[in-house]
Amino acid sequence: MANLQRPRIAIIGTGAIGGFYGVMLARAGFDVHFLLRSEYAAVRGNGLQVNSAVHGAITLDNVQAYRDVAQMPPCDWLLVGAKTTSNAALAPLITQVAAPGAKVLLLQNGLGVEEALRPLLPASLHLLGGLCFICVHRSAPGVVEHQSLGAVSLGYHCGPATEQGARQAILEQGAGLFSAAGIDATVMASLEQARWQKLVWNVPYNGLSVLLNAGTSALMSNADSRALIQTLMQEVVQGAAACGHELPAGFADKLFANTERMPDYQPSMYHDWQQQRPMELQAIYAAPLLAAAQAGCELPRIQALYQALSFIDSRNRP
């Protein structure tokens, strides 16, 4: 069994998110094991490569890579970097590789993702959420391009830790893993609020990148798209407030200004659309719309964006 200082970590879904954080953790000396599917042969042969504008070029050779979860050792922390659309299929794999009392950290976007996954996992596992503020994408099998940012916000959702002190200790341990790897990590008192905060960026930029076939630079350079982004952001803020989560004053304006300073970026939904993969519409749009509606709050522009994206998604499958 791995010790508390150097726990054994599994990366479930070694795409852009899983690949980046997994490589950073492995570089810091952690015992990291990567579950892959289509890119297994490439990673076994060539390793994992992160081309980072922040950390430089990093190559992880002799990757502990697996195509079959049955061959993986029991792991203390499971970082799920796959898209929410695959969570139901991943649940048996998570259960199989989890050590007793393991912590499952969902590095995923959207609302309600933990609630959907929880019934599929053993009650003995701790379930946490992680919100990644990062510009990253995969450019080739086993190759990740990191453009900027990288911070992670962690919150405890549910599990055997019922006392606040025990939950806090687990969150601090998780944040410590990222900090040791040179990544900013913040412990969030409310995971639900953290997810609403991330939606302030994800709702406008993910959806509009697909609807308008544009990256962030193009979206920010046009007066009409800028106004639409700000309107969508404010609707997310309204939805969060209706659900009992007052976001910090000026939060949307801060994200808007930060995006102006970012390099041009195509969000994850844009890449899913381009590669004819299912888009994460349930977690990023349907779940927040439902939560707001149940609180008596209508979000008409987000609803219209969701309907347009649903049409595009239905016609985009191979």
Side-chain angles (χ1 to χ4, degrees), residues 182-302:
I183 296 163
D184 291 336
T186 304
V187 171
M188 299 292 293
S190 169
L191 176 58
E192 189 86 354
Q193 173 150 334
R195 289 203 167 279
W196 275 105
Q197 289 182 189
K198 184 71 186 293
L199 285 168
V200 174
W201 195 93
N202 275 329
V203 164
Y205 290 103
N206 269 286
L208 292 179
S209 73
V210 174
L211 192 65
L212 304 179
N213 190 16
T216 56
S217 292
L219 292 173
M220 297 300 286
S221 66
N222 178 273
D224 291 316
S225 53
R226 286 170 65 90
L228 184 53
I229 289 165
Q230 291 179 306
T231 300
L232 290 165
M233 283 183 158
Q234 287 307 315
E235 281 202 352
V236 178
V237 172
Q238 293 167 15
C243 294
H245 304 290
E246 290 287 343
L247 303 191
F251 183 78
D253 292 335
K254 180 180 178 181
L255 290 186
F256 189 81
N258 287 345
T259 307
E260 284 195 300
R261 294 191 292 269
M262 280 170 38
D264 186 37
Y265 179 61
Q266 284 79 37
S268 61
M269 191 170 288
Y270 180 90
H271 292 283
D272 290 338
W273 169 59
Q274 285 284 305
Q275 297 174 35
Q276 295 185 293
R277 297 190 297 250
M279 294 189 287
E280 294 182 286
L281 301 184
Q282 172 61 35
I284 296 178
Y285 295 97
L289 283 167
L290 177 60
Q294 290 174 339
C297 178
E298 293 186 1
L299 308 174
R301 291 170 182 82
I302 296 175

Side-chain angles (χ1 to χ4, degrees), residues 152-176:
V152 181
S153 296
L154 291 82
Y156 192 97
H157 183 266
C158 58
T162 56
E163 298 295 328
Q164 183 58 36
R167 294 185 170 195
Q168 185 72 14
I170 290 171
L171 287 171
E172 290 177 359
Q173 184 190 358

